[in-house]
Amino acid sequence: MKILVAYGSKYGCTEKCAKLLSDQINRDHDVVLVDHKMSEPANLEEFDWVVIGGPIYMGKTLPEIVAFINHNLPELLTKKIGLFICAADLDKVVEQSQLVFDPELTRHAKAIEHFGYELSLEKMDIISKMIIRMVARVKENQYNIFTENIEKFAAMILNSN
Ligand SMILES: Cc1cc2nc3c(=O)[nH]c(=O)nc-3n(C[C@H](O)[C@H](O)[C@H](O)COP(=O)(O)O)c2cc1C
């Protein structure tokens, strides 16, 4: 089985999660990891599964993820799809995932998961740092990747046929 894991990441958390997922599934399958920012548009034809991961910023995901989905939607709807988000607001996980990904793609997905979040104040630009300090009242770095959710997601892909 050939699997594309396509992600976008501003400060590295979603990238870390995409790599953790790939490490778990590439023991048995051919996995291609693609950063939306750096890559040429992927040729989706060769993939059985497409996993798309993105972080949430002010209720939205990164524009390159939205562009990837919009550009490839008809073909994505012919694939097995897994979606994951990295987001710090634990009360709004379901509602934010539904906002972030196209509704048709969300309905078509075999798995939608929350892989956790990181808030590294020293990596942030000044505006992001201000928002996080003043709005979210975060005073120190937070590292909260949900490895059990990544394992569950990987197992679901590995057990699919
Ligand atoms: C400026 C800013 C705004 C954010 N807005 C949201 C938000 O609206 N909802 C949420 O759940 N998390 C929010 N977060 C948390 C990010 O989703 C979290 O830090 C995520 O791990 C970032 O992933 P990345 O490092 O791959 O970019 C925000 C973080 C920052 C710095």
Side-chain angles (χ1 to χ4, degrees):
M1 206 155 64
K2 193 153 181 186
I3 304 161
L4 175 69
V5 179
Y7 66 90
S9 184
K10 196 167 170 190
Y11 294 119
C13 176
T14 315
E15 178 171 44
K16 204 184 278 182
C17 292
K19 286 183 177 161
L20 286 169
L21 176 70
S22 300
D23 287 347
Q24 295 193 21
I25 49 184
N26 75 8
R27 287 177 219 139
D28 301 295
H29 299 290
D30 190 0
V31 180
V32 176
L33 193 63
V34 166
D35 178 346
H36 285 295
K37 217 170 25 199
M38 298 184 321
S39 66
E40 295 290 311
N43 176 14
L44 299 182
E45 211 172 288
E46 57 189 301
F47 296 101
D48 306 292
W49 268 92
V50 179
V51 175
I52 305 170
I56 310 285
Y57 285 97
M58 312 303 281
K60 294 183 175 164
T61 195
L62 300 176
E64 56 264 33
I65 297 170
V66 177
F68 174 78
I69 292 173
N70 289 345
H71 186 72
N72 294 295
L73 189 59
E75 193 160 12
L76 288 170
L77 293 171
T78 68
K79 306 284 173 188
K80 291 175 186 161
I81 297 291
L83 306 172
F84 75 87
I85 61 164
C86 288
D89 189 344
L90 302 185
D91 295 332
K92 291 196 191 145
V93 171
V94 175
E95 128 194 16
Q96 290 194 128
S97 329
Q98 283 166 351
L99 277 179
V100 163
F101 297 112
D102 176 272
E104 212 178 346
L105 193 64
T106 308
R107 279 194 298 275
H108 177 78
K110 295 202 175 290
I112 305 178
E113 198 50 87
H114 179 215
F115 282 1
Y117 65 93
E118 287 184 348
L119 295 166
S120 310
L121 293 166
E122 71 273 4
K123 283 190 194 168
M124 289 175 199
D125 59 51
I126 191 146
I127 307 274
S128 296
K129 210 183 287 187
M130 253 169 61
I131 293 171
I132 286 303
R133 285 210 165 119
M134 295 172 77
V135 181
R137 308 216 172 274
V138 170
K139 302 271 181 281
E140 52 193 40
N141 294 341
Q142 294 184 9
Y143 301 101
N144 214 356
I145 290 180
F146 302 151
T147 45
E148 66 280 12
N149 288 2
I150 301 179
E151 282 161 15
K152 201 165 69 179
F153 197 94
M156 194 274 311
I157 293 177
L158 295 174
N159 293 331
S160 73
N161 42 34

